[in-house]
């Protein structure tokens, strides 16, 4: 007796490409299992964190979970530097010299401004930020593309020179303990650049005053 196979209703699992493509391009999730409108359930950790941070108020409340995540990421970054320094025999560093601290401070200031405000570095921030207005010589003011989520958190951090400065200072300090001579050249060059910028601004201010 020949075996008869029951046809499988394959069509109920096929996504209509005419409706799926616009949804994908617009960022809307497409459910291919035949259950339209369903969204993934937030994790228990995300629910707990959101509950703890609720009631903070202000425009920044929606970004608090992202900020908590960025602090965790920085903690891991600093821990990684600590592990590298200990492995290299710097478990108890004697500290930095006063001259190195001064160079690192100026270099951190200049590099933080360059990364978070510079016109030439705007392509690095563009995936997370949106241009708002010009903000002085070779600098721009930007805003995050979204108000929440990873993209919004990164956008808020990379447009803040104070926030970027924490990462830059940690990197330069750790590198200074490992490669003091090489890093001293880098921080010295950034300090020279900061001084040159100050002279450029002073010269422009004097020129404008002379024309008045």
């Amino acid at each position: 007796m020949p075996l008869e196979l029951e046809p499988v209703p394959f069509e109920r699992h096929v996504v209509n490409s005419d409706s799926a493509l616009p949804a994908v391009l617009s960022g809307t999730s497409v459910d291919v299992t035949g259950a339209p409108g369903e969204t993934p359930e937030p994790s228990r950790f995300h629910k707990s964190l959101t509950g703890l941070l609720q009631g903070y108020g202000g425009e920044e409340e929606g970004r608090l979970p992202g900020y908590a995540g960025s602090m965790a990421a920085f903690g891991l970054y600093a821990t990684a530097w600590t592990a590298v320094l200990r492995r290299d025999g710097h478990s108890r560093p004697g500290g930095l010299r006063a001259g190195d601290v001064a160079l690192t401070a100026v270099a951190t200031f200049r590099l933080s401004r360059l990364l978070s405000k510079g016109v030439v570095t705007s392509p690095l921030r563009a995936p997370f930020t949106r241009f708002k207005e010009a903000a002085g010589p070779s600098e721009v003011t930007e805003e995050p593309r979204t108000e929440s989520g990873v993209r919004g958190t990164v956008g808020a951090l990379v447009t803040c020179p104070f926030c970027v400065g924490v990462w830059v200072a940690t990197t330069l300090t750790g590198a200074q303990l490992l490669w003091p001579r090489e890093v001293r050249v880098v921080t010295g060059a950034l300090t020279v650049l900061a001084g040159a910028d100050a002279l450029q601004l002073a010269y422009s201010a004097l020129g404008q005053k002379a024309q008045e």
Side-chain angles (χ1 to χ4, degrees):
M1 181 176 180
L3 182 62
E4 295 183 0
L5 298 177
E6 183 178 354
V8 179
F10 179 74
E11 62 275 3
R12 69 179 180 179
H13 297 285
V14 177
V15 178
N16 186 351
S17 61
D18 293 337
S19 61
L21 183 58
V24 171
L25 293 178
S26 63
T28 306
S29 59
V30 180
D31 192 352
V32 297
T33 62
E38 293 185 1
T39 55
E41 185 72 16
S43 65
R44 182 177 299 178
F45 174 76
H46 185 272
K47 288 182 177 179
S48 301
L49 183 61
T50 304
L52 286 173
L53 300 178
Q54 247 179 355
Y56 179 79
E59 298 179 356
E60 296 294 318
E61 182 174 341
R63 292 182 182 152
L64 289 180
Y67 291 160
S70 67
M71 286 192 296
F74 177 77
L76 291 175
Y77 183 68
T79 302
W81 266 113
T82 303
V84 171
L85 291 171
R86 291 196 176 200
R87 187 185 64 181
D88 201 62
H90 290 79
S91 57
R92 293 183 179 179
L96 300 176
R97 297 184 301 181
D100 291 332
V101 172
L103 287 177
T104 303
V106 178
T108 299
F109 162 77
R110 187 62 192 91
L111 188 55
S112 300
R113 298 291 302 185
L114 179 63
L115 293 175
S116 61
K117 295 288 186 181
V119 173
V120 71
T121 56
S122 57
L124 301 176
R125 303 185 300 272
F128 311 100
T129 62
R130 185 182 295 108
F131 175 81
K132 189 175 180 181
E133 61 185 0
S138 300
E139 289 191 346
V140 293
T141 297
E142 298 165 332
E143 59 185 5
R145 283 181 179 264
T146 60
E147 292 298 324
S148 59
V150 175
R151 205 175 188 186
T153 301
V154 175
L157 293 177
V158 299
T159 55
C160 170
F162 302 98
C163 307
V164 175
V166 175
W167 293 80
V168 172
T170 302
T171 303
L172 291 178
T173 302
Q176 177 79 35
L177 295 173
L178 288 176
W179 310 288
R181 294 181 61 183
E182 293 82 355
V183 175
R184 196 171 295 125
V185 172
V186 175
T187 55
L190 289 169
T191 300
V192 170
L193 179 60
D197 290 345
L199 291 175
Q200 293 281 5
L201 293 174
Y203 182 82
S204 298
L206 288 174
Q208 291 178 359
K209 188 174 182 180
Q211 292 177 357
E212 292 178 357

Coordinates of all heavy atoms in Angstrom, one line a residue, residues 35-70:
A35 N 3.2 35.3 14.4 CA 2.6 35.9 15.6 C 2.9 37.4 15.6 O 3.8 37.8 16.2 CB 3.1 35.3 16.9
P36 N 2.2 38.1 14.8 CA 2.5 39.6 14.6 C 2.3 40.3 15.9 O 1.4 40.1 16.6 CB 1.5 40.0 13.5 CG 0.4 39.0 13.6 CD 1.0 37.7 14.0
G37 N 3.1 41.4 16.0 CA 2.9 42.3 17.2 C 3.7 41.9 18.4 O 3.7 42.7 19.4
E38 N 4.2 40.7 18.5 CA 4.9 40.3 19.7 C 6.3 40.8 19.8 O 7.0 40.9 18.8 CB 4.9 38.7 19.8 CG 3.5 38.1 20.0 CD 3.6 36.6 20.2 OE1 4.8 36.1 20.2 OE2 2.6 35.9 20.3
T39 N 6.7 41.3 21.0 CA 8.1 41.8 21.2 C 8.7 40.9 22.3 O 8.1 40.4 23.1 CB 8.0 43.3 21.6 OG1 7.2 43.4 22.8 CG2 7.5 44.1 20.6
P40 N 10.1 40.8 22.2 CA 10.8 40.0 23.2 C 10.5 40.6 24.6 O 10.5 41.8 24.9 CB 12.3 40.2 22.8 CG 12.2 40.6 21.4 CD 11.0 41.4 21.2
E41 N 10.4 39.6 25.6 CA 10.2 40.0 26.9 C 11.4 40.5 27.6 O 12.5 39.9 27.4 CB 9.7 38.7 27.7 CG 9.3 39.0 29.2 CD 8.0 39.8 29.3 OE1 7.2 39.8 28.3 OE2 7.7 40.3 30.4
P42 N 11.4 41.7 28.2 CA 12.7 42.2 28.9 C 13.2 41.2 29.9 O 12.4 40.5 30.6 CB 12.2 43.5 29.5 CG 11.0 43.9 28.8 CD 10.3 42.6 28.4
S43 N 14.5 41.1 30.1 CA 15.1 40.2 31.1 C 14.7 40.6 32.5 O 14.3 41.8 32.7 CB 16.6 40.2 30.9 OG 17.1 41.4 31.2
R44 N 14.9 39.7 33.4 CA 14.6 40.0 34.8 C 15.5 41.1 35.3 O 15.1 41.9 36.1 CB 14.7 38.7 35.6 CG 14.4 38.9 37.1 CD 14.4 37.6 37.8 NE 13.5 36.6 37.3 CZ 13.4 35.3 37.7 NH1 14.2 34.9 38.7 NH2 12.5 34.5 37.2
F45 N 16.8 41.0 34.9 CA 17.8 42.0 35.4 C 17.4 43.4 34.9 O 17.4 44.4 35.6 CB 19.2 41.6 34.8 CG 20.2 42.7 35.1 CD1 20.7 42.9 36.4 CD2 20.6 43.6 34.1 CE1 21.7 43.8 36.7 CE2 21.5 44.5 34.4 CZ 22.1 44.7 35.6
H46 N 16.9 43.5 33.6 CA 16.5 44.8 33.1 C 15.3 45.3 33.8 O 15.2 46.5 34.1 CB 16.2 44.6 31.6 CG 15.9 45.9 30.9 ND1 14.6 46.4 30.8 CD2 16.7 46.8 30.2 CE1 14.6 47.6 30.2 NE2 15.9 47.8 29.8
K47 N 14.4 44.4 34.1 CA 13.2 44.9 34.9 C 13.6 45.4 36.3 O 13.1 46.4 36.7 CB 12.2 43.7 35.0 CG 11.5 43.4 33.7 CD 10.5 42.3 34.0 CE 9.7 41.9 32.7 NZ 8.7 40.8 32.9
S48 N 14.5 44.6 36.9 CA 14.9 45.0 38.3 C 15.6 46.4 38.3 O 15.4 47.3 39.1 CB 15.8 44.0 38.9 OG 15.1 42.7 39.0
L49 N 16.5 46.5 37.3 CA 17.3 47.8 37.2 C 16.4 49.0 36.9 O 16.5 50.0 37.5 CB 18.4 47.6 36.1 CG 19.3 48.8 35.9 CD1 20.1 49.1 37.2 CD2 20.3 48.6 34.8
T50 N 15.4 48.8 36.0 CA 14.5 49.8 35.6 C 13.7 50.2 36.8 O 13.4 51.4 37.1 CB 13.6 49.4 34.5 OG1 14.4 49.0 33.4 CG2 12.7 50.5 34.1
G51 N 13.2 49.2 37.6 CA 12.4 49.5 38.8 C 13.2 50.3 39.9 O 12.7 51.2 40.5
L52 N 14.5 50.0 40.0 CA 15.3 50.7 41.0 C 15.5 52.1 40.6 O 15.6 53.0 41.5 CB 16.7 50.0 41.1 CG 16.7 48.7 41.9 CD1 18.1 48.0 41.8 CD2 16.3 48.9 43.4
L53 N 15.6 52.4 39.3 CA 16.0 53.7 38.8 C 14.7 54.6 38.6 O 14.9 55.8 38.3 CB 16.8 53.6 37.6 CG 18.1 52.9 37.7 CD1 18.8 52.8 36.4 CD2 19.0 53.5 38.7
Q54 N 13.5 54.0 38.7 CA 12.3 54.7 38.4 C 12.1 55.8 39.4 O 12.4 55.7 40.6 CB 11.1 53.8 38.4 CG 10.5 53.7 37.0 CD 9.3 52.7 37.1 OE1 9.0 52.1 38.1 NE2 8.6 52.6 35.9
G55 N 11.6 57.0 39.0 CA 11.3 58.1 39.9 C 12.5 59.1 40.0 O 12.4 60.0 40.7
Y56 N 13.6 58.8 39.3 CA 14.7 59.8 39.3 C 14.2 61.1 38.7 O 14.6 62.2 39.2 CB 15.8 59.2 38.5 CG 17.1 60.1 38.4 CD1 17.9 60.2 39.5 CD2 17.3 60.9 37.3 CE1 19.1 61.0 39.4 CE2 18.4 61.7 37.2 CZ 19.3 61.7 38.3 OH 20.4 62.6 38.2
G57 N 13.4 61.1 37.7 CA 12.9 62.3 37.1 C 13.9 63.0 36.1 O 15.0 62.6 36.0
G58 N 13.3 63.9 35.4 CA 14.2 64.7 34.4 C 14.3 63.9 33.1 O 13.9 62.8 32.9
E59 N 15.0 64.6 32.2 CA 15.1 64.0 30.8 C 16.1 62.8 30.9 O 16.2 62.0 29.9 CB 15.6 65.1 29.9 CG 14.6 66.2 29.7 CD 15.1 67.3 28.7 OE1 16.3 67.1 28.3 OE2 14.4 68.2 28.4
E60 N 17.0 62.8 31.9 CA 18.1 61.8 31.9 C 17.6 60.4 32.5 O 18.4 59.5 32.5 CB 19.2 62.3 32.7 CG 19.9 63.5 32.2 CD 20.6 63.2 30.8 OE1 21.2 62.2 30.7 OE2 20.5 64.0 29.9
E61 N 16.4 60.3 33.0 CA 15.9 59.1 33.6 C 16.0 57.9 32.6 O 16.4 56.8 33.0 CB 14.5 59.2 34.2 CG 14.0 58.0 34.9 CD 12.7 58.2 35.6 OE1 12.3 59.4 35.8 OE2 12.0 57.2 35.8
G62 N 15.6 58.1 31.4 CA 15.6 57.1 30.4 C 17.0 56.5 30.1 O 17.1 55.4 29.6
R63 N 18.0 57.4 30.4 CA 19.4 57.0 30.1 C 20.1 56.3 31.2 O 21.2 55.9 31.1 CB 20.2 58.2 29.6 CG 19.7 58.7 28.2 CD 20.6 59.9 27.8 NE 20.1 60.4 26.5 CZ 20.3 61.7 26.2 NH1 20.9 62.5 27.0 NH2 19.9 62.1 25.0
L64 N 19.5 56.3 32.4 CA 20.2 55.8 33.6 C 20.6 54.3 33.4 O 21.7 54.0 33.8 CB 19.2 55.9 34.8 CG 19.0 57.4 35.3 CD1 18.1 57.4 36.5 CD2 20.3 58.0 35.7
P65 N 19.8 53.4 32.9 CA 20.3 52.1 32.7 C 21.5 52.0 31.8 O 22.4 51.3 32.0 CB 19.1 51.3 32.0 CG 17.9 52.1 32.5 CD 18.3 53.5 32.5
G66 N 21.5 52.9 30.7 CA 22.7 52.9 29.9 C 23.9 53.5 30.6 O 25.0 53.0 30.4
Y67 N 23.7 54.5 31.4 CA 24.8 55.0 32.2 C 25.4 53.9 33.1 O 26.6 53.8 33.4 CB 24.4 56.2 33.0 CG 24.1 57.4 32.1 CD1 23.3 58.5 32.6 CD2 24.6 57.5 30.8 CE1 23.1 59.6 31.8 CE2 24.4 58.7 30.1 CZ 23.6 59.7 30.5 OH 23.3 60.8 29.8
A68 N 24.5 53.2 33.7 CA 24.9 52.1 34.6 C 25.8 51.1 33.8 O 26.8 50.6 34.3 CB 23.7 51.4 35.3
G69 N 25.3 50.8 32.6 CA 26.1 49.9 31.8 C 27.5 50.4 31.4 O 28.5 49.7 31.3
S70 N 27.5 51.7 31.1 CA 28.8 52.4 30.8 C 29.7 52.3 32.0 O 31.0 52.2 31.8 CB 28.6 53.8 30.3 OG 28.1 54.6 31.3

